[in-house]
Amino acid sequence: TWGCVVRIFLEIQMTSQATSNAITLRGSVEIVSEFFGYSINSILYQRGIYPPETFTPVNKYGLRMLVTQDKGLTAYLDNVLSQVKQWLLDKALQKLVLVVTDVETRQVVERWVFNLETDGEAQLDGQGAKEKSIKEIQQEIQAVVRQITASVTFLPLLENPCTFDLLMYTDADVNVPQAWEESDPKYIANSAQVRLRSFTTKVHKVDAMVCYKAD
C-alpha cells in the first residue's frame, strides 16, 4: 500500500551527470530527476497539452528533445522537480504519475506512470555506490524517450483541450510542502495500458507505462 499520494500545485535543474562509472545516490538522483524533467516536457509536447510553438529543441540523450519556454510552466516544473530531488535523496519517492484530464468532461484520459525502486545500500556519503557506465544508462533512457515520442502512433487522439497534474506516491512520513495537497489516484475507468521500457542506474530503477481510456 502507498503511504501518501500528493497532488502538486505548483525545478528541473538540468544538471550535468557524473562521468565516472561509480554511480552514487546523489549522482543517480541527478540522472533520474533530469529524466523526469525531459520526459514530462516530451509528454506535454507530444500530447498537445501546451502549444507546440512554446517548445524549443535541445539535444539530449543523443536525441532532439523539446523543452517548454512557457515561463509559468517552467517555474512549476522547477518547483516540482526540486522537491522530487529531495524525496529521491530521502529514498521516499515510490512513483511519479502525470495525469492528463479532459478540460470539458473532467475525465482522466491518460496516466503516465513512472514506478521507482531505490537500492537500500546507497547512502548520501557515497557509500553503496554502484558500477555502471553513463553511456549505458543514457542508452536505456534514450529507448524510453523514443517510446514516449512514438506514443502518438498508438494513443487515442485527444479531441478536446486537456490539462495535466503531477502525482507523487511517497512514504507516509514525508514532509509535504504546504502549497500541495493529498489526492486520489485519478484512475481511468475502462482503461488499456502499454508498458514502456525501463532504465536503471543500479541505485534507482524506473519502470514506465501509459494507461489510457479505451473505447
Side-chain angles (χ1 to χ4, degrees):
T1 59
W2 303 107
C4 182
V5 185
V6 179
R7 181 187 178 193
I8 302 160
F9 282 113
L10 263 183
E11 110 187 51
I12 188 161
Q13 306 296 335
M14 299 300 183
T15 51
S16 60
Q17 300 170 359
T19 56
S20 169
N21 285 348
I23 305 298
T24 64
L25 175 59
R26 291 185 185 277
S28 183
V29 165
E30 295 295 342
I31 293 168
V32 172
S33 59
E34 186 176 63
F35 164 78
F36 284 151
Y38 281 111
S39 295
I40 291 167
N41 270 275
S42 183
I43 293 166
L44 297 181
Y45 174 81
Q46 296 296 336
R47 304 308 289 147
I49 310 302
Y50 278 75
E53 61 271 18
T54 63
F55 291 82
T56 189
V58 297
N59 292 317
K60 188 66 181 177
Y61 310 125
L63 300 171
R64 180 179 178 271
M65 305 289 292
L66 288 146
V67 177
T68 183
Q69 296 299 293
D70 182 285
K71 292 183 179 179
L73 178 56
T74 298
Y76 169 78
L77 294 179
D78 283 351
N79 183 63
V80 167
L81 289 162
S82 177
Q83 184 61 60
V84 165
K85 280 187 178 183
Q86 186 57 57
W87 281 339
L88 286 171
L89 287 170
D90 294 340
K91 304 180 186 178
L93 185 64
Q94 303 167 11
K95 182 188 299 189
L96 181 151
V97 182
L98 189 156
V99 177
V100 179
T101 303
D102 187 302
V103 171
E104 294 184 11
T105 66
R106 304 309 302 168
Q107 288 188 329
V108 176
V109 293
E110 290 178 9
R111 292 178 89 250
W112 293 80
V113 181
F114 299 92
N115 289 302
L116 190 72
E117 297 177 17
T118 305
D119 181 84
E121 296 180 359
Q123 303 299 322
L124 287 174
D125 61 4
Q127 295 295 314
K130 305 298 179 181
E131 288 290 323
K132 188 167 184 177
S133 72
I134 291 296
K135 181 179 180 181
E136 185 179 357
I137 295 169
Q138 290 196 338
Q139 287 174 338
E140 293 177 4
I141 292 176
Q142 183 186 81
V144 179
V145 172
R146 286 186 185 278
Q147 286 187 310
I148 294 173
T149 303
S151 65
V152 293
T153 63
F154 62 81
L155 290 175
L157 179 68
L158 299 178
E159 297 180 351
N160 298 325
C162 292
T163 186
F164 82 100
D165 282 313
L166 291 173
L167 307 182
M168 304 294 167
Y169 288 63
T170 68
D171 294 346
D173 58 351
V174 301
N175 292 320
V176 178
Q178 193 170 14
W180 300 7
E181 67 176 17
E182 291 194 14
S183 171
D184 67 272
K186 299 186 180 295
Y187 290 130
I188 303 172
N190 302 318
S191 66
Q193 69 180 40
V194 175
R195 290 196 173 276
L196 307 180
R197 292 179 180 271
S198 63
F199 79 90
T200 178
T201 65
K202 291 193 174 180
V203 174
H204 294 103
K205 181 182 180 184
V206 178
D207 289 301
M209 74 174 180
V210 57
C211 301
Y212 58 93
K213 192 169 184 60
D215 293 332

